[in-house]
Each structure stands twice: as C-alpha cells, then as structure tokens.
Amino acid sequence: MERRQLEAAAANYPYLQGLWTIPLGIGVILAGISNLQSRPTGIGAMALILGGLAIAGVALVLIGRYYRDHYGTVTPTRDRYIRQAVAIVAWIAILFIGANQALFWSPDGPQCIYASAFALATLAYYAILVGLRPHHVIIWGAVFVAGLLPIWGGLGADRDPLAMIPLGLLAMLSGVLDQRLLARSFRQSGTKQLEASGVGG
C-alpha cells in the first residue's frame, strides 16, 4: 500500500466513522418527541425516553468496540483538531442563527426554517472537515429545500419538534453512508486496520 493512500485514509478516518450518528440520531429523535406539545406523558413517556437513552448508550459502547477492533486508532494532528473545532463552531452558529424564529420566520408560517438551518449547518460541517460527498449534498440539499417549501403550515408549535424526527433518521442514513465510504476507502487502499499513528492530518 502506498503511503499517500494510507495518509488519505487515515486523515479522514476519525471523521467518517458514520456509525456514531446512530446514537446521535436517536438523541435528536428523542429531543423532538419530548418537545412536542402533544408529547407522551406519564409512565409511557418515561419509558420511551429512558428506553431510547439506554439503546443509545448500548450503541455507543458497541460502536466504539467495533471501530477499535476493526480499524484500530488514529491520532489526529493539531491542524485536524483545529479544523474539527472550526467545523463544530460553524455547525452551532449556522443552526443557532438560522433557527432563530425572531429573525427569520413566524411560528405560524408554512416553512420549517429549522430543518433548512440544520441541513445547511450539516453541509458546512462536512465541507470544512472532510469535504462534501455526493450523499451529503443529496440528503442535506434535499432537506434544505424541503424546509423552505410551504408545506409545514398547520403544525404550529409542533413543527420543529416533528421535523427533528426525520432529521434524526436522515442523520443516521448519512452516517451509514459515511461508514460505507470509509470501508470502501480502506478496501481500496489495501489495509484492514490502522494502528495508532500521527498521519491524521
């Protein structure tokens, strides 16, 4: 295997571990459900939240073990840490600004700017960190457009919480495709495992 191929795979490896989006997506879905005006209440609601958190916790453990056993570990360089921090700040900033109701839309409006802001923030995150892949553009571009369409009227205060449910599912789908891309890159480079190294820049 050529060193350049190894470096390219290692540089993106920590950021294309897409299976981590499974517990993240579960968390987004649970947050949406818990913010619904007509959300479940009582013991049923508690069971739903605790059950979802338990599933997410188990998934975190199993995913961590999977990546450690199948791919090893990579130590990102200082530049990569900085780039990751910039990507996270950009994601938060775009989502916060875009989802600010006072700036962009009425709560009774027919658009869901929260969904569009979430999509735009996610596109910015990927663009900064690993570069946009076709599935990023297709999934999050479609979400961005869907949020701007006048199809969300009548949902009232439940509009954004309801949107969080498909957003969580799409985050998981995007992550699974990231994982597929990661696995393919390692197959093409001819390696099955990366041990701790400093080539993550």
Side-chain angles (χ1 to χ4, degrees), residues 168-183:
L169 293 172
L170 288 170
M172 289 189 272
L173 173 61
S174 182
V176 169
L177 293 175
D178 284 342
Q179 169 60 31
R180 183 169 175 263
L181 182 64
L182 175 67

Side-chain angles (χ1 to χ4, degrees), residues 137-192:
V137 176
I138 292 170
I139 293 173
W140 299 112
V143 172
F144 178 80
V145 172
L148 296 178
L149 295 176
I151 59 175
W152 301 86
L155 297 178
D158 280 342
R159 177 184 52 196
D160 294 349
L162 283 173
M164 294 175 76
I165 297 173
L167 287 175
L169 293 172
L170 288 170
M172 289 189 272
L173 173 61
S174 182
V176 169
L177 293 175
D178 284 342
Q179 169 60 31
R180 183 169 175 263
L181 182 64
L182 175 67
R184 187 189 312 161
S185 71
F186 275 94
R187 284 198 301 270
Q188 290 174 347
S189 64
T191 184
K192 296 182 179 179

Side-chain angles (χ1 to χ4, degrees), residues 31-66:
I33 293 173
S34 65
N35 282 286
L36 290 171
Q37 293 293 308
S38 56
R39 61 184 175 274
T41 58
I43 297 177
M46 185 67 67
L48 177 65
I49 298 299
L50 293 180
L53 290 175
I55 292 172
V58 171
L60 283 170
V61 173
L62 294 178
I63 291 168
R65 182 179 302 171
Y66 169 80

